[in-house]
Amino acid sequence: MTELFGIPLPALLGQLLLGLVNGSFYAMLSLGLAVIFGMLNIINFAHGALYMMGAFLAWMGMDLLGLNYWVMLGLAPLLVGLLGIVIERTMLQWLYKLDHLYGLLLTFGITLVIEGVFRSFYGVSGQPYSVPEQLQGATNLGFMILPNYRAWVVVASITVCLAVWALIEKTSLGAKLRAGTENPKLVQAFGINVPLMVTLTYAGGVALAAFAGVLAAPILQVSALMGSNLIIVVFAVVVIGGMGSILGSIVTGLGLGIVEGLTKVFYPEASNTVVFVVMAIVLLVRPAGLFGKEK
């Protein structure tokens, strides 16, 4: 059997794939956080709870209504996005000119409420969600066995991330969004509804979290704590990439997932802390993050 650095090649590639899958979730979740912070200036701690809600909606759609994975992949982000509109219109819109701490505390409170509701109904034990029939099985690549669903997760995540980046950075709509956050009064003078754009931006950001939750449902057991277990790592990814940096969130999320996977091979004891070690090093060298702009 072929070995690399004393590690069997299939085992090494398997961990790399696992790291890339985790990195895909990090990238999509940190992208949503970066969009919300960059456009609304809100640190959205509720992101993990809304990610969990997306996974639960997929499970409930299957268990209660018989809706398949593909339907819920579109429906769950839509429903969570609608909830995001309610949250932004009723609570967050009053905090934009206040210190970041207020938004952080409010969204932390929203997290506790959402998690408390799901824990009261379903407890903390995980609910199984099966892989869709079309993506079951694996493909033999010769040097490793590639599970079809994990390959789909990576492709879907990267595609969505790049599409969002292109929308914000390369289109006129993205230019209006950026201008609306920097100088809303001037943009409104041109007849553009800035409050509506802000609301839809928050809805889109949390919809990304729900989309990631649906993708995660067949890999992880759906539980009320799945978001809280992940959100701290995702915040670290956002800080490393640069708060508000769209491209930084994507690249850093994927990169740190791979680093985490390699760490599990060569030094498993450090796999749970390697992201935070990297964050500390980056902040010492570049406080604004790898892709952030120094003020």
Side-chain angles (χ1 to χ4, degrees), residues 27-49:
M28 188 167 297
L29 287 169
S30 62
L31 173 62
L33 280 175
V35 167
I36 291 170
F37 181 80
M39 302 298 173
L40 281 68
N41 213 28
I42 291 288
I43 300 174
N44 186 40
F45 202 87
H47 218 64

Side-chain angles (χ1 to χ4, degrees), residues 143-192:
F143 53 89
M144 70 172 293
I145 303 298
L146 177 65
N148 295 334
Y149 188 78
R150 294 180 186 270
W152 154 251
V153 167
V154 174
V155 172
S157 299
I158 293 176
T159 301
V160 170
C161 287
L162 292 178
V164 172
W165 172 79
L167 175 67
I168 293 175
E169 299 291 340
K170 301 296 181 181
T171 67
S172 59
L173 176 59
K176 291 175 183 177
L177 286 173
R178 297 194 304 273
T181 56
E182 293 175 5
N183 196 333
K185 291 184 179 179
L186 178 61
V187 174
Q188 281 184 309
F190 287 94
I192 297 174

Side-chain angles (χ1 to χ4, degrees), residues 17 49 69 74 88 105 128 131 146 189 205 208 211 225 227 230-231 281 289:
L17 174 63
Y69 169 87
E88 195 280 334
L105 290 174
V131 173
L146 177 65
L208 285 173
F211 186 83
L225 300 180
L230 188 62
I231 192 62
I281 294 171

Side-chain angles (χ1 to χ4, degrees), residues 220-241:
L220 310 172
Q221 285 203 322
V222 179
S223 76
L225 300 180
M226 63 186 292
S228 59
N229 295 336
L230 188 62
I231 192 62
I232 302 300
V233 176
V234 173
F235 266 110
V237 171
V238 174
V239 171
I240 294 169

Side-chain angles (χ1 to χ4, degrees), residues 38-242:
M39 302 298 173
L40 281 68
N41 213 28
I42 291 288
I43 300 174
N44 186 40
F45 202 87
H47 218 64
L50 296 169
Y51 156 81
M52 175 270 292
M53 183 179 284
F56 252 111
L57 286 174
W59 176 81
M60 292 166 68
M62 175 193 71
D63 189 63
L64 302 177
L65 302 176
L67 300 177
N68 65 30
Y69 169 87
W70 302 105
V71 173
M72 294 312 299
L73 193 61
L75 184 57
L78 178 61
L79 293 175
V80 173
L82 291 174
L83 175 62
I85 291 175
V86 174
I87 292 173
E88 195 280 334
R89 284 287 85 195
T90 58
M91 290 177 274
L92 290 182
Q93 67 164 323
W94 312 110
L95 304 180
Y96 296 143
K97 295 182 180 179
L98 302 179
D99 188 271
H100 294 315
L101 181 61
Y102 292 94
L104 178 61
L105 290 174
L106 174 63
T107 53
F108 179 66
I110 293 171
T111 296
L112 295 179
V113 171
I114 294 174
E115 287 187 353
V117 169
F118 280 93
R119 288 179 67 177
S120 66
F121 280 98
Y122 301 104
V124 294
S125 59
Q127 308 292 339
Y129 190 93
S130 59
V131 173
E133 183 179 351
Q134 299 89 335
L135 297 173
Q136 291 178 359
T139 301
N140 189 346
L141 300 179
F143 53 89
M144 70 172 293
I145 303 298
L146 177 65
N148 295 334
Y149 188 78
R150 294 180 186 270
W152 154 251
V153 167
V154 174
V155 172
S157 299
I158 293 176
T159 301
V160 170
C161 287
L162 292 178
V164 172
W165 172 79
L167 175 67
I168 293 175
E169 299 291 340
K170 301 296 181 181
T171 67
S172 59
L173 176 59
K176 291 175 183 177
L177 286 173
R178 297 194 304 273
T181 56
E182 293 175 5
N183 196 333
K185 291 184 179 179
L186 178 61
V187 174
Q188 281 184 309
F190 287 94
I192 297 174
N193 191 337
V194 173
L196 178 61
M197 283 201 312
V198 170
T199 300
L200 294 179
T201 298
Y202 185 78
V206 299
L208 285 173
F211 186 83
V214 180
L215 288 178
I219 296 177
L220 310 172
Q221 285 203 322
V222 179
S223 76
L225 300 180
M226 63 186 292
S228 59
N229 295 336
L230 188 62
I231 192 62
I232 302 300
V233 176
V234 173
F235 266 110
V237 171
V238 174
V239 171
I240 294 169

